[in-house]
Amino acid sequence: MAHIPAGARDVYPLARDKVDDRMLDFKQWVINVHSRAREGDERFERIVTLLNQLVVEILPGGVLGIVVPPKSYVLRVRVKNKRDDGGIREVPFDQMSQGMSSIFIWGGVLLQRLHEAFDKLEDLTEVSATVIVDEIDVHLHPSWQRRVVTLVKKTFPRIQVIASTHSSLIVSSVY
């Protein structure tokens, strides 16, 4: 089992009283992953699939995944229209709610860190690791709080998550 040491870059956002600016790095990483997947790199295709699987399962009811239209390099979220026409639209990532952004940030950054640390591993769901998440419930809709722990355990069965929370819904979903 490889060890991914936490570095200053991982701990610094917890120590300061400002917004975690790693989101910018995450968005660029997703754009890069999509670009490599479009080039036919199977490993990156699997990462895109896994990221979209996480997003769709945590945020059901209209969210279909993350897309990066070719040559635009703008991160977008594909969603079903709320109207009855059944159409699909793409919303700029920056227009997502704080709750959706939180899911993307910590779930996406988890995938990003696993990819960086285990760059030769074909299946990131087989990684053994311990992940620490501060206030996993922040900005999450109650139904998302009920699903997040179960989904992470299902998707990454060998990852141990240690999380702080103020949510009884998160705590009750563990048992």
Side-chain angles (χ1 to χ4, degrees), residues 81-143:
N81 281 334
K82 292 188 178 187
R83 299 182 305 246
D84 292 329
D85 65 3
I88 295 172
R89 63 189 171 105
E90 294 177 359
V91 178
F93 185 82
D94 294 333
Q95 293 180 6
M96 296 284 90
S97 70
Q98 285 184 326
M100 286 187 173
S101 293
S102 292
I103 290 293
F104 287 113
I105 289 171
W106 87 257
V109 170
L110 171 61
L111 273 177
Q112 180 183 9
R113 291 286 283 136
L114 293 174
H115 173 254
E116 290 169 355
F118 301 96
D119 63 336
K120 304 294 184 227
L121 189 63
E122 289 296 316
D123 185 359
L124 293 177
T125 63
E126 294 299 315
V127 171
S128 295
T130 301
V131 176
I132 301 172
V133 181
D134 186 33
E135 297 189 35
I136 195 170
D137 58 300
V138 172
H139 306 296
L140 296 185
H141 185 278
S143 66

Side-chain angles (χ1 to χ4, degrees), residues 9-11 13 20-27 109 112:
R9 183 172 182 258
D10 296 308
V11 179
D20 186 349
D21 59 1
R22 290 180 293 174
M23 184 57 155
L24 297 174
D25 292 341
F26 166 69
K27 289 192 298 188
V109 170
Q112 180 183 9

